[in-house]
Amino acid sequence: MTDAAALPGQPRGGVLSGPATPRAVNVLAPNASAMTLDGTNTWIVAEPDSDLAVVIDPGPLDDGHLKNVVDTAEKAGKRIALTLLTHGHPDHAEGAVRFAELTGTRVRALDPALRLGDEGLAAGDVITTGGLELRVVPTPGHTADSLSFHLPADRAVLTGDTILGRGTTVVAHPDGRLGDYLDSLRRLRSLTVDDGVHTVLPGHGPVLEDAQGAVEFYLAHRAHRLAQVETAVENGHRAPAEVVAHVYADVDRSLWPAAELSVRAQLDYLTEHGLIQSEI
């Protein structure tokens, strides 16, 4: 058995659903898959002494799950007053409209197409519902509209799919861009160094107790993959599918379509930086 403390980011063991920090509770959606790991983490965030709560990523359009989120909040004496989205992928956002119907809340997101109400989200915004302080951190790369939420009181950051609790994330080309993603990882690293963030509350997988270690692992992993892709191209593997077969040979083939999205993003990055020829 592998010691969890030895794994990148020190993933927390035990049941995923339930309290994760004094202000954050996870309700795990029943949509486990190779891409969603154990399922989507729907986060209920609130000040302990407040009767108002914020929900981040209601998850898939699954009435049972959405009602479970409402019930979990109500059992804790909370009323859900606002819904936020880290990004628009269906496993995070498809249930948002139905959830808004159940709770009467607005839905705030970076992408105007996902919003319900007049307010969106932007870098530097601070959510203060029920005395809570959540700071909006732009973290594009996985998708163009990806956001994270800094929870200073718990020295935590909710990362959506930018950092996962297990494994690594896909840069979803063409919407996602690798240069943006690397900048986002560096932005999160700054939170760990300058703002004392030590806990990652991810969109999938377990809570990570070592935020800085997780970010450093992700940065090193991306540098390693970039070098592998560049070498593959130099060795004549020029089509994205060929690069995937060469670089991701040890990865489950069911994940190769997702890997190809990341490879295309890496090829674009290498081309933009003059490291491979533009005709690739």
Side-chain angles (χ1 to χ4, degrees):
M1 181 178 292
T2 303
D3 183 358
L7 296 173
Q10 297 183 15
R12 184 182 298 176
V15 178
L16 295 179
S17 281
T21 70
R23 291 164 180 80
V25 174
N26 182 29
V27 182
L28 182 65
N31 61 333
S33 72
M35 291 299 295
T36 61
L37 304 181
D38 311 275
T40 300
N41 294 334
T42 294
W43 291 101
I44 302 171
V45 189
E47 282 297 311
D49 59 353
S50 174
D51 61 354
L52 299 179
V54 175
V55 163
I56 298 173
D57 290 350
L61 183 55
D62 180 307
D63 245 40
H65 169 65
L66 300 177
K67 290 175 180 176
N68 188 27
V69 175
V70 175
D71 290 345
T72 300
E74 289 180 348
K75 287 176 182 175
K78 313 286 186 186
R79 177 178 66 82
I80 297 167
L82 180 64
T83 301
L84 306 177
L85 298 177
T86 61
H87 65 296
H89 279 169
D91 55 312
H92 294 258
E94 187 182 37
V97 172
R98 174 59 177 150
F99 190 70
E101 292 174 354
L102 292 172
T103 59
T105 60
R106 295 165 294 141
V107 177
R108 295 180 63 181
L110 179 62
D111 184 350
L114 300 171
R115 301 172 189 167
L116 290 176
D118 296 330
E119 288 187 281
L121 291 171
D125 284 353
V126 179
I127 310 301
T128 56
T129 303
L132 185 71
E133 182 180 341
L134 276 175
R135 301 175 185 171
V136 178
V137 182
T139 48
H142 170 66
T143 61
D145 69 329
S146 287
L147 298 171
S148 295
F149 297 97
H150 177 200
L151 180 56
D154 286 347
R155 298 172 64 191
V157 60
L158 297 104
T159 55
D161 282 357
T162 299
I163 292 179
L164 305 177
R166 184 170 67 252
T168 55
T169 198
V170 173
V171 178
H173 179 275
D175 182 48
R177 295 176 56 83
L178 182 58
D180 290 342
Y181 185 66
L182 295 174
D183 288 343
S184 293
L185 291 177
R186 296 182 188 108
R187 192 170 295 118
L188 291 173
R189 180 171 58 187
S190 293
L191 286 181
T192 71
V193 174
D194 300 332
D195 295 277
V197 167
H198 61 66
T199 302
V200 173
L201 305 176
H204 304 279
V207 171
L208 299 178
E209 306 280 12
D210 176 16
Q212 186 171 352
V215 175
E216 296 293 355
F217 170 76
Y218 267 63
L219 284 166
H221 170 79
R222 284 297 166 194
H224 179 63
R225 282 296 193 212
L226 266 177
Q228 287 181 309
V229 169
E230 186 176 2
T231 299
V233 172
E234 290 171 351
N235 291 337
H237 303 283
R238 305 184 72 78
E242 294 175 0
V243 175
V244 170
H246 182 74
V247 173
Y248 292 82
D250 59 342
V251 174
D252 188 327
R253 284 183 176 237
S254 69
L255 297 176
W256 280 16
E260 185 170 329
L261 296 179
S262 282
V263 163
R264 288 180 180 274
Q266 290 171 93
L267 292 172
D268 280 358
Y269 180 88
L270 291 168
T271 299
E272 290 165 5
H273 288 76
L275 298 172
I276 61 175
Q277 295 300 311
S278 59
E279 66 265 19
I280 298 300

